[in-house]
């Protein structure tokens, strides 16, 4: 792994794989079909740009996409971009020594964040369960930046919570069903978002970056969950030729935008 940010490497000997698995289980508490999204995402990467792509993992977190990308495509390279100090600490520990991975600490709200990347263009830009942290004005700018980073024939994929305001009854039933499922999982010992972060805050290595993380974001960013139609329209307006869903669940959509 190479680094273009200024964060110090974490101490050796920590069980980063255990933290990755813990993060996965916590995310699956919200999204039981999370692995399906990743599988379809990587299917589309292979279909459009082949098995050795240069990928930008946007708002990479712990590197969930990058880990699955490299497991499936060993000749791929990945640039992970995020601002969260705690999740980047886990990502650095996970990919330490892997020259295929570059981690960049940057704020996607900063208009100059692309200047920190090691490459001018990418075959694919991938992101999951992240951009709902941003408001639409910021997303409009970000989508234009992403369009300039994707090479002709390359793809951008966003898997995220996307809510259609035109279906309020469907939305209400789905939300109630999901809450009941999560409540059952909690009674069986699952960790939710808040409890996972409580554990990170007590860990000797993650305590300090977790404190910084909450200084940056607070409990949750003031983002928006916009409809698939809004995302598709905005991506076309910002420079992509074709956009449509390639997977969806009752609450989430994986949009593919072709340059």
């Amino acid at each position: 792994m190479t680094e273009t940010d200024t964060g110090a490497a974490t101490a050796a000997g920590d069980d980063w794989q255990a933290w990755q698995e813990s993060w996965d289980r916590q995310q699956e508490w919200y999204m039981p079909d999370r692995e399906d999204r990743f599988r379809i995402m990587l299917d589309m990467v292979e279909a459009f740009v082949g098995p050795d792509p240069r990928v930008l993992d946007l708002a990479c977190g712990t590197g969930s996409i990058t880990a699955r990308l490299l497991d499936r495509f060993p000749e791929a390279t990945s640039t992970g971009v995020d601002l969260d100090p705690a999740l980047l600490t886990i990502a650095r520990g996970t990919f330490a020594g892997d020259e295929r991975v570059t981690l960049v600490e940057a704020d996607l709200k900063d208009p100059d964040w692309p200047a920190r990347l090691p490459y001018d263009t990418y075959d694919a830009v991938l992101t999951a369960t992240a951009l709902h942290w941003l408001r639409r004005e910021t997303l409009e700018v970000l989508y234009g930046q992403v369009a300039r980073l994707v090479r002709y024939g390359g793809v951008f994929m966003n898997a995220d919570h996307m809510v259609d305001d035109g279906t309020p009854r469907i939305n209400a039933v789905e939300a109630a069903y999901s809450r009941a499922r999560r409540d059952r999982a909690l009674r069986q010992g699952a960790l939710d978002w808040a409890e996972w972060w409580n554990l990170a805050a007590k860990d000797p290595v993650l305590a300090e970056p977790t404190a910084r993380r909450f200084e940056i974001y607070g409990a949750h960013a003031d983002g928006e969950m916009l409809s698939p139609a809004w995302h598709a329209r905005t991506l076309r307006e910002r420079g992509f030729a074709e956009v449509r869903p390639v997977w969806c669940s009752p609450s989430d959509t994986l949009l593919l935008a072709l340059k």
Side-chain angles (χ1 to χ4, degrees):
M1 179 193 74
T2 58
E3 298 243 11
T4 62
D5 62 330
T6 58
T10 55
D14 292 279
D15 193 344
W16 300 116
Q17 186 58 40
W19 277 111
Q20 289 284 1
E21 291 173 1
S22 175
W23 176 259
D24 285 344
R25 300 295 84 75
Q26 179 261 129
Q27 289 286 284
E28 287 167 358
W29 179 72
Y30 293 96
M31 298 167 288
D33 45 20
R34 183 170 178 254
E35 292 300 326
D36 290 338
R37 299 192 308 169
F38 289 141
R39 178 179 58 81
I40 297 299
M41 179 181 282
L42 296 182
D43 284 350
M44 294 298 96
V45 167
E46 185 173 17
F48 281 91
V49 300
D52 57 350
R54 177 191 295 170
V55 170
L56 175 60
D57 186 351
L58 195 67
C60 66
T62 66
S64 297
I65 290 175
T66 291
R68 288 157 179 80
L69 173 80
L70 298 179
D71 183 59
R72 178 160 168 176
F73 306 123
E75 300 304 313
T77 59
S78 180
T79 302
V81 178
D82 209 299
L83 184 62
D84 189 310
L87 299 185
L88 278 174
T89 296
I90 296 172
R92 292 188 193 107
T94 299
F95 300 107
D98 193 332
E99 294 301 321
R100 299 171 297 176
V101 180
T102 301
L103 295 174
V104 178
E105 185 173 330
D107 186 351
L108 297 181
K109 295 178 183 179
D110 180 350
D112 295 325
W113 71 267
R116 305 202 66 186
L117 301 177
Y119 303 106
D120 293 331
T121 60
Y122 289 84
D123 300 311
V125 177
L126 310 176
T127 189
T129 324
L131 299 190
H132 67 274
W133 284 64
L134 303 176
R135 299 198 67 80
R136 69 183 66 201
E137 297 82 4
T138 303
L139 264 178
E140 288 170 350
V141 174
L142 180 66
Y143 279 169
Q145 294 170 313
V146 169
R148 292 188 288 274
L149 287 166
V150 175
R151 66 160 172 85
Y152 178 76
V155 293
F156 167 64
M157 280 182 272
N158 178 16
D160 207 350
H161 311 313
M162 299 184 190
V163 177
D164 186 343
D165 291 335
T167 58
R169 292 167 61 201
I170 295 173
N171 298 347
V173 171
E174 187 281 325
Y177 179 82
S178 293
R179 282 196 300 270
R181 176 188 56 77
R182 292 195 297 268
D183 287 345
R184 288 195 300 271
L186 283 179
R187 291 194 293 270
Q188 294 168 2
L191 291 180
D192 64 7
W193 172 266
E195 185 57 28
W196 191 91
W197 282 108
N198 285 338
L199 291 176
K202 297 173 184 176
D203 181 82
V205 173
L206 291 180
E208 190 274 335
T210 296
R212 286 193 286 120
R213 180 239 182 247
F214 280 96
E215 289 175 3
I216 295 169
Y217 292 111
H220 202 287
D222 182 27
E224 292 184 82
M225 293 186 189
L226 301 163
S227 70
W230 182 92
H231 286 278
R233 181 178 66 252
T234 303
L235 286 163
R236 290 190 187 96
E237 290 171 351
R238 295 291 164 159
F240 287 94
E242 300 178 16
V243 187
R244 76 166 177 86
V246 291
W247 176 91
C248 68
S249 73
S251 62
D252 286 26
T253 296
L254 172 57
L255 275 182
L256 184 149
L258 177 65
K259 183 71 177 289

